[in-house]
Amino acid sequence: MELVHALADLRAALAGWRGAGASVALVPTMGNLHEGHLRLVDRASEAGDRVVVSVFVNPTQFGPGEDFARYPRTLEADCAALRERAADLVFAPTVEEVYPEGSEEATHVEVPGLSDDLCGAFRPGHFRGVATVVTKFFNMVQPDLAVFGTKDYQQLLVIRRLVRDLRLAVSIEAVETVREADGLAMSSRNAYLSPEDRARAPLIHSTLHATAERLRAGERDFAALQSAGLQRLRAAGMEPDYLAVRRASDLGEPTATDRDLVILAAARLSGARLIDNLPVRLP
């Protein structure tokens, strides 16, 4: 496995692979890798001949007061894990390599509408930063396919929309959320949790399941379901941003006749913002 920091070195490696007729799969990450990330790498190695994993903590998707400065940076450990999972190359550029004119004045990519709700409403500018950096990595790597997890469900839809709208020649693969034994979605930010809050955190996932069961039982008062879920999270000492029932296809407000739904939640514990979601297909 090769580790490169410069775009020129990345492109040299890619040119050799493509000259041999190999397809390329990309797994974009911010590092501090856990089993959830590594499952994405596994899928990439199944779907492509060569696997590139990017490790880059992107400043433009963090808002004021968020955890950009303290976000864990563990490149050496990440590379050790990736050597065991069939990654061919790790691209770990500097901020200057990705934003040569500075991140504040850089050209940006924005997916309107879809980026403004839910996490977008609580983290203004977040999805503009995500869409911009993902477009940059798509341009730098020019992968045949890219692999993302479904834990960041809204992000996944934003990326699929930008690929469609910009007519990018990359296929987007999705891998289901990987969970701890107690149901908590794996996340780099779980490391921020105190022992007490780590014990509480799985309630997010169980609340999504409780809401899904009420939907399957025939309840369609979405506002009441959302209110009940928020109340349950607050009663456990969490600070929820939202718990929402939405159409799975576009995160639009559902109607009583919609069958493919997704329940999404974001809540804060120990200063960590945790997100999760649960797709629900109704009969």
Side-chain angles (χ1 to χ4, degrees), residues 1-3 10-28 40-54 82 85-91 141-147 170-171 173:
M1 187 188 78
E2 188 175 1
L3 169 65
L10 169 69
R11 286 179 167 161
L14 291 167
W17 296 346
R18 291 208 169 88
S23 61
V24 177
L26 170 66
V27 181
L40 307 183
V41 178
D42 292 343
R43 176 60 192 142
S45 67
E46 293 169 357
D49 298 319
R50 296 285 189 167
V51 176
V52 175
V53 179
S54 63
L82 290 168
R85 300 299 269 264
D88 295 285
L89 184 146
V90 175
F91 180 43
V141 178
Q142 297 187 353
D144 298 282
L145 65 124
V147 187
V170 55
S171 173
E173 296 264 348

Side-chain angles (χ1 to χ4, degrees), residues 52-117:
V52 175
V53 179
S54 63
V55 175
F56 179 66
V57 183
N58 175 38
T60 67
Q61 68 191 69
F62 290 80
E66 292 190 340
D67 58 340
F68 173 70
R70 70 177 181 131
Y71 194 87
R73 291 155 170 86
T74 57
L75 183 59
E76 185 175 346
D78 294 342
C79 289
L82 290 168
R83 287 189 187 96
E84 302 297 320
R85 300 299 269 264
D88 295 285
L89 184 146
V90 175
F91 180 43
T94 63
V95 172
E96 292 73 23
E97 190 78 0
V98 177
Y99 297 102
E101 301 302 321
S103 59
E104 295 299 322
E105 301 299 323
T107 299
H108 65 259
V109 178
E110 193 158 7
V111 179
L114 190 56
S115 296
D116 304 324
D117 197 7

